[in-house]
Amino acid sequence: MAEREHEHVRVAVIGSGFGGLGAAVRLRRQGITDFVVLERAGSVGGTWRDNSYPGCACDVPSHLYSFSFAPNPEWPRNFSGQPHIRAYLERVTDTFGLRPHLRFDSEVRSLRWNGDGLYWEIETASGALTADVVVSATGPLSDPKVPDIPGLDAFPGKVFHSARWDHDYDLRGKRVAMIGTGASAIQIVPSIQPTVDRLTLFQRTPAWVLPRADRKISGLERWLHAKVPATRAARRGLLWGIRELQVSAFTKRPNELGMIEGLAKGHMKRAVKDPALRAKLTPDYRIGCKRILLSNTYYPALTRPNVDVVAGGLREVRGNVLVASDGTETEADAIVFGTGFHVTDMPIAHRVTGANGTTLAEEWKDGMEALRGTTAAGFPNFLTIIGPNTGLGNSSMILMIESQLNYLVDFMRQLDVLGGKIALNARPSAVHAWTRGIQKRMERTVWTTGGCDSWYLDSNGRNTTAWPGTTAEFRKVTRQVDLAEYEVLRVPAARAGARPEQAAKAVA
């Protein structure tokens, strides 16, 4: 028998999107350099690396969809496209010296808490290691969700998800079926419509669509933002403030959203003259219940002669014939799924085993819950960036990420202040109290009262995704760790001097 020692780090970060790179920057700025960023792919970028479909762009203004500590005066448009956002993340990686910490092709296969040594045992595709603290920044939009459609496996054509776009497959001249009408679909449809032979949109539920106030940012504006940082900060502050003022309509007074519905209906009417098509495209739920989409080209594309809108989801596939829930049959050469992601059932949760010997997925079987959206009971020294009830319906997720990074920094500070080999485990009572408060507030929101079935809701119909407040409020409640909400775990004195790499030995 031979003994093998594992590498040990202070912190292991999972994922290199906005959350993972942001965590890496904040750790370095805090003076913590003993960390790694475990990335399953071969480059940074997260969802902005994976989503490269035609027309892919952000629906949040660029100057708000960026780190406050890494402003970019050179954004080319109000709403920047995927290539520019991905390039921004590459620059952040280089600017803050993160390359030495990156471990590419290192998908995390399992994480297991070692209660004797108070550390995490991590198995990755590139080897094993241990860590005192784990920061999961895999994000909710990382693992595509494809519905189980009878006959799909026997479809003779091409099938792929929008987040796994096959750029080697040429859609020109093909009969294409687009499944779904979410944020990706409304960008894909107008991008591929001019070149495909036939485009059939399978619409299970129509979306509310507002105009997209996009334009090029002039050279003068970019020069001003670079030379006079106050102008850049003012622009960001204005974008932020407008969205903060909108929150109460979503969370407390959904009836106030009626005026916004009128704007959306007017936007549709100007582009879609056919009353029958307008009827298909008009939602029967309150605007905001599902994510509001922005596009100036989606509705015009749907009126083109080579586009059909089927008012029903895909029910089954018979050879190259697609059958909708209303019985409509369509022949296709390719199927593109724009059916979203595993949001309320994040795959990483199945790979994390906590102090009680159960996985995070098992603990969350009745619904995700985490203290301040970040820490779960029974999973010591494990923090999630963009965890339960941290999502937004109208503003920039980067604001929420940075608030959780503040919490991470104070979490690490508390560990140092307490001293020794310790861990912080969220008390179940604190987690449940936090969750009860969130769900109580959720009762008044448009996501609950709006009359829709959205991806914000889990299988039990509970909204475990969205944050029912302003970003300023979230920043306040995550400013620092309240030790009263945690149990402090310590290694027994007899083992306190042992290094984790000495304790975490595997016997071959």
Side-chain angles (χ1 to χ4, degrees), residues 36 50 94 175 283 388:
V36 295
D50 295 342
D94 291 327
R175 297 168 299 178

Side-chain angles (χ1 to χ4, degrees), residues 126-269:
S126 62
L129 70 155
T130 57
D132 295 330
V133 177
V134 170
V135 179
S136 177
T138 59
L141 306 182
S142 58
D143 290 276
K145 193 173 191 176
V146 176
D148 185 13
I149 306 294
L152 182 61
D153 291 344
F155 179 68
K158 191 70 178 178
V159 179
F160 52 86
H161 191 277
S162 59
R164 300 292 184 267
W165 196 271
D166 189 339
H167 291 278
D168 294 328
Y169 183 78
D170 192 353
L171 292 177
R172 287 179 297 181
K174 300 292 196 307
R175 297 168 299 178
V176 181
M178 181 76 227
I179 315 300
T181 52
S184 300
I186 72 158
Q187 295 179 343
I188 293 170
V189 165
S191 298
I192 66 174
Q193 174 271 320
T195 61
V196 302
D197 175 60
R198 197 88 203 156
L199 177 58
T200 303
L201 177 67
F202 284 76
Q203 173 192 265
R204 188 175 61 179
T205 309
W208 285 108
V209 183
L210 287 172
R212 185 182 181 87
D214 192 23
R215 65 171 178 82
K216 288 184 177 180
I217 296 176
S218 69
L220 176 60
E221 289 174 279
R222 296 198 298 272
W223 180 86
L224 265 178
H225 292 334
K227 300 299 183 183
V228 186
T231 62
R232 185 180 63 229
R235 184 175 192 151
R236 181 182 175 95
L238 179 62
L239 292 169
W240 169 77
I242 291 172
R243 282 155 180 78
E244 291 288 274
L245 292 174
Q246 298 169 349
V247 171
S248 64
F250 285 84
T251 61
K252 298 177 182 178
R253 294 182 289 274
N255 288 335
E256 293 181 358
L257 294 166
M259 183 179 69
I260 307 301
E261 284 184 9
L263 294 175
K265 288 178 179 178
H267 178 53
M268 182 198 304
K269 191 172 183 178

Side-chain angles (χ1 to χ4, degrees), residues 17-71:
F18 269 99
L21 295 179
V25 171
R26 290 299 302 275
L27 288 172
R28 281 187 60 90
R29 296 179 76 176
Q30 193 66 16
I32 300 171
T33 58
D34 182 18
F35 70 89
V36 295
V37 179
L38 304 171
E39 170 55 55
R40 66 183 178 185
S43 60
V44 302
T47 191
W48 293 106
R49 175 200 59 236
D50 295 342
N51 287 270
S52 60
Y53 58 78
C56 182
C58 190
D59 59 2
V60 174
S62 304
H63 286 278
L64 193 59
Y65 198 80
S66 48
F67 290 121
S68 63
F69 52 76

Side-chain angles (χ1 to χ4, degrees), residues 110-122 131-134 351-358 378-382 421-425 489 491:
S110 71
L111 297 108
R112 181 174 293 274
W113 176 249
N114 186 310
D116 292 332
L118 300 188
Y119 56 83
W120 286 95
E121 300 170 352
I122 308 169
D132 295 330
V133 177
V134 170
R351 306 180 187 190
V352 185
T353 302
N356 300 322
T358 54
F379 296 82
N381 284 9
F382 182 87
K421 182 62 179 172
I422 67 166
L424 295 178
N425 183 34
L489 308 178
V491 171

Side-chain angles (χ1 to χ4, degrees), residues 250-449:
F250 285 84
T251 61
K252 298 177 182 178
R253 294 182 289 274
N255 288 335
E256 293 181 358
L257 294 166
M259 183 179 69
I260 307 301
E261 284 184 9
L263 294 175
K265 288 178 179 178
H267 178 53
M268 182 198 304
K269 191 172 183 178
R270 285 189 292 274
V272 182
K273 304 303 180 183
D274 179 6
L277 180 55
R278 277 207 308 272
K280 282 185 182 180
L281 298 174
T282 301
D284 61 358
Y285 55 87
R286 174 66 76 191
I287 193 170
C289 185
K290 288 175 175 282
R291 188 175 180 90
I292 301 173
L293 307 181
L294 306 177
S295 177
N296 300 326
T297 55
Y298 177 62
Y299 286 142
L302 298 183
T303 66
R304 305 307 300 164
N306 67 331
V307 177
D308 294 310
V309 178
V310 176
L314 179 58
R315 187 179 70 196
E316 64 177 308
V317 178
R318 302 171 185 163
N320 70 337
V321 176
L322 279 57
V323 184
S325 57
D326 64 357
T328 302
E329 296 186 0
T330 303
E331 292 187 357
D333 303 308
I335 302 174
V336 179
F337 283 97
T339 45
F341 301 84
H342 289 276
V343 176
T344 60
D345 57 341
M346 293 186 288
I348 188 66
H350 295 273
R351 306 180 187 190
V352 185
T353 302
N356 300 322
T358 54
T359 66
L360 191 55
E362 290 170 332
E363 294 293 329
W364 282 353
K365 66 181 184 300
D366 295 324
M368 300 189 299
E369 56 179 37
L371 178 61
R372 304 181 189 275
T374 309
T375 54
F379 296 82
N381 284 9
F382 182 87
L383 298 88
T384 299
I385 306 299
I386 314 184
N389 291 114
T390 59
L392 296 176
N394 73 312
S395 192
S396 172
M397 280 306 303
I398 312 307
L399 301 172
M400 302 296 279
I401 288 172
E402 288 200 40
S403 293
Q404 289 191 282
L405 297 182
N406 291 340
Y407 197 77
L408 165 64
V409 167
D410 196 58
F411 191 98
M412 300 302 298
R413 187 182 69 81
Q414 295 288 358
L415 293 179
D416 289 339
V417 169
L418 291 169
K421 182 62 179 172
I422 67 166
L424 295 178
N425 183 34
R427 295 183 183 276
S429 58
V431 176
H432 296 330
W434 173 263
T435 303
R436 283 196 302 272
I438 292 290
Q439 292 304 317
K440 181 65 177 177
R441 294 176 61 180
M442 203 65 73
E443 293 174 1
R444 300 173 59 185
T445 68
V446 69
W447 309 306
T448 300
T449 65

